[in-house]
């Protein structure tokens, strides 16, 4: 069971890291505005999580536990959105000034980037909390889906 848990942690962690990295690179101050409406990214992530959880056919007790975990995830997503908006406003203020200082912009971004590993760890912990409320059959379904996606991440 420890090997399965380790594999789950590695796969979920790598998926999350890829997602966070891609978002940071593409949505950063020097990236292209290809994401569209950023306000709805957190909602999309939660909808996808709900979709995956729905397929597991949770019991009432499991559903209640999931909703508690989901509420914490949703609060963190909202906090991340607010922090992103604050950073955006800060960058805009610097760039709109008479003498824009890209070093100041870089320092602001670096400070915010320090929070990414903390949030990534938190999301992995949330996923493990959800996994731990599942029964053996549901956990087997999750592991099967992870196994199906492994070839996508092999080098």
């Amino acid at each position: 069971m420890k090997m399965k848990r380790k594999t789950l942690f590695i796969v979920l962690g790598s998926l999350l890291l890829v997602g966070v990295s891609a978002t940071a690179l593409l949505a950063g101050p020097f990236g292209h505005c290809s994401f569209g409406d950023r306000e709805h990214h957190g909602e999309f992530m939660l909808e996808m999580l709900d979709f995956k959880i729905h397929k597991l056919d949770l019991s009432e007790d499991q559903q209640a536990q999931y909703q508690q975990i989901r509420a914490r995830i949703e609060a963190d997503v909202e906090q991340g959105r607010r922090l992103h908006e604050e950073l955006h406003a800060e960058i805009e203020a610097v760039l709109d000034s008479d003498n824009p200082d890209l070093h100041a912009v870089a320092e602001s971004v670096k400070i915010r980037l320090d929070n990414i590993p903390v949030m990534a760890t938190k999301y992995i912990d949330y996923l493990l909390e959800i996994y731990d409320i599942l029964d053996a059959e549901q956990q087997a379904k999750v592991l099967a889906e992870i196994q199906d996606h492994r070839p996508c991440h092999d080098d």
Side-chain angles (χ1 to χ4, degrees):
M1 187 64 179
K2 286 186 184 218
M3 188 55 133
K4 287 183 182 180
R5 189 177 205 98
K6 183 179 177 183
T7 301
L8 174 68
F9 184 78
I10 290 170
V11 170
L12 291 176
S14 62
L15 289 173
L16 185 62
L17 184 60
V18 168
V20 168
S21 299
T23 301
L25 288 173
L26 295 175
F30 307 111
H32 187 275
C33 298
S34 61
F35 276 143
D37 188 2
R38 290 190 183 116
E39 285 184 38
H40 300 291
H41 290 183
E43 292 172 23
F44 176 74
M45 181 187 74
L46 289 167
E47 287 172 8
M48 290 303 297
L49 182 60
D50 289 340
F51 176 75
K52 297 287 187 182
I53 292 297
H54 178 75
K55 291 178 9 179
L56 295 173
D57 194 29
L58 300 182
S59 69
E60 284 185 32
D61 184 49
Q62 288 173 319
Q63 186 64 35
Q65 292 176 60
Y66 167 67
Q67 288 303 323
Q68 290 175 351
I69 298 166
R70 187 189 189 283
R72 289 185 285 143
I73 295 170
E74 189 170 16
D76 286 345
V77 166
E78 177 59 26
Q79 178 187 11
R81 187 188 61 75
R82 282 193 312 272
L83 291 173
H84 178 80
E85 288 175 358
E86 289 171 13
L87 175 62
H88 187 265
E90 191 175 317
I91 291 170
E92 289 294 317
V94 170
L95 294 178
D96 288 342
S97 68
D98 290 337
N99 190 14
D101 181 2
L102 289 182
H103 291 279
V105 170
E107 286 306 312
S108 292
V109 171
K110 285 179 187 179
I111 290 168
R112 299 320 194 286
L113 289 176
D114 286 342
N115 195 38
I116 289 177
V118 173
M119 291 308 297
T121 300
K122 208 172 189 182
Y123 288 128
I124 291 169
D125 289 342
Y126 288 145
L127 293 172
L128 287 174
E129 280 185 61
I130 293 168
Y131 182 78
D132 288 341
I133 67 172
L134 303 177
D135 63 30
E137 184 180 322
Q138 293 163 327
Q139 288 179 347
K141 287 179 184 178
V142 170
L143 290 173
E145 187 161 336
I146 289 170
Q147 293 292 353
D148 287 346
H149 284 84
R150 279 183 64 195
C152 300
H153 302 283
D154 290 341
D155 288 329

